[in-house]
Amino acid sequence: MQLQRAKNQVAEVLYELLTKKKINRRDVMNETGILNLSARIGDLRIKHNLTVKLEQVKTKNKHGRRVVYGNWLIPDDEKEKALEVYNNINR
């Protein structure tokens, strides 16, 4: 998929969602520098009416405590709409 370079944080998060199967807070922070991923996901959901699903992953940390983190993804049936939104917000 050939996309223009993202021009703002919302477009950058949407770019990550379109080019990868799933994204999470750590990876987005390391790759883009965006610290508040949940706010940008909220923008996509509320302002642009996109379906962005959260998949909770339960695991244990290095101390043996249970922790939960999330992976965000765009369902396959929403990818075309997401691409239109990306092109509109990235003008």
Side-chain angles (χ1 to χ4, degrees), residues 8-53:
N8 57 57
Q9 286 190 352
V10 175
E12 200 157 0
V13 169
L14 187 50
Y15 176 89
E16 295 294 318
L17 285 163
L18 286 167
T19 58
K20 299 177 180 170
K21 287 189 177 207
K22 301 173 186 177
I23 64 171
N24 62 50
R25 185 182 308 267
R26 182 191 66 206
D27 293 341
V28 170
M29 185 180 71
N30 288 336
E31 294 172 20
T32 68
I34 295 171
L35 299 177
N36 196 352
L37 177 60
S38 58
R40 303 297 70 86
I41 296 289
D43 291 341
L44 289 170
R45 287 176 171 159
I46 295 165
K47 294 179 182 175
H48 302 288
N49 199 28
L50 277 180
T51 300
V52 182
K53 293 191 175 186

